[in-house]
Amino acid sequence: MAHYVMCRPTYFAVDYAINPWMDPATPVDAGLAVAQWTALYGTYRALGHTVDLVDPLPGLPDMVFAANGATVVDGIVLGVQFRHPERAPEAPAYLSWFADAGFDTHEAKYVNEGEGDLLLAGRYLLAGTGFRTEHAAHARAQEVFGRPVITLQLVDPRYYHLDTALCVLGDTSDESGPGGFAGRPRPVVAYLPEAFSPGSRAVLRRLFPDAVVASPADAAVLGLNAVSDGRRVVLPAEARGLADQLASRGYEPIPVHLSELRKAGGGPKCCTLEVRR
Ligand code: ARG
């Protein structure tokens, strides 16, 4: 079972715009945002996962996006440093939560938006850059975690974080294949090729020859901002094509409604920080 950290959207709003999804002129139903988030929380609990809650802070409307609060691998916590000043105070709030919980914490030294841009795939960390997390932060993550980091270049501003363009689904049981994972089960991912530079697309094809290739329509409802426990994949309900693709690969798609949080550019994964002991 998985262990997640979430943050209730008590102070959620869209009153600044730091990505193309955000328009402060579009009304947000704050009550519905809380109800949708509460249903996501309940979904994880019903699946048997552990969910810890970080207290939301007034004046930080994006703090609900817990994935941006840290990266946690092997019980090691790498803190974050936000690109935009609007979100800066979230970084120490998340880091001190982990320090208080007894984790081995490390401060960010470069712009690094946590699991928004750093995703564990088998033994490797996939690391996005181009809009938020700086390339220098990838080297820092490699040093802190002692895991090989693979840099991926994002090119479409709508897919400003890696977790909006790529989802790690789980591991295959096939230990033989290509991709540098010989002798170990290979991770399986779903992604939108158009969100990546030509070189990064080639890297993804080499590493993940059996990836689920998502459609632009499914990505455009943040379908790739999904949370997999290796078997069950929690994803936006509107991503029907992706849900069918996942089901045909033997995953169980679990649709959730997050229309209000999507107005800030976030989906289920953005609301969910995975704690790996
Ligand atoms: N409004 C937030 C921002 O632009 C959304 C963050 C979404 N988080 C994520 N992990 N993709 O920073």
Side-chain angles (χ1 to χ4, degrees), residues 44-64:
Y44 292 140
R45 299 297 309 271
L47 291 173
H49 301 316
T50 300
V51 185
D52 285 330
L53 296 177
V54 170
D55 287 335
L57 295 172
L60 296 175
D62 275 335
M63 194 167 172
V64 58

Side-chain angles (χ1 to χ4, degrees), residues 16 18-19 22 62 65 67-68 82 84 87 113 115-117 132 160-164 225 264-267 269-271:
Y16 52 76
I18 57 172
N19 69 53
M22 302 176 86
D62 275 335
F65 300 118
N68 302 127
F82 285 92
H84 299 97
R87 298 195 65 185
E113 298 202 352
E115 280 215 330
D117 279 317
R132 299 292 181 87
Y160 55 94
H161 276 143
L162 181 62
D163 72 357
T164 63
N225 197 251
K269 171 61 210 166
C270 298
C271 298

Side-chain angles (χ1 to χ4, degrees), residues 21 156 158-159 164-165 192 214-225 236 238-239 242 262 265:
W21 302 81
D156 182 334
R158 285 176 303 165
Y159 307 114
T164 63
L192 177 72
S215 71
D218 286 324
V221 291
L222 288 178
L224 288 165
N225 197 251
E238 296 86 349
L242 182 60
R262 191 161 53 229

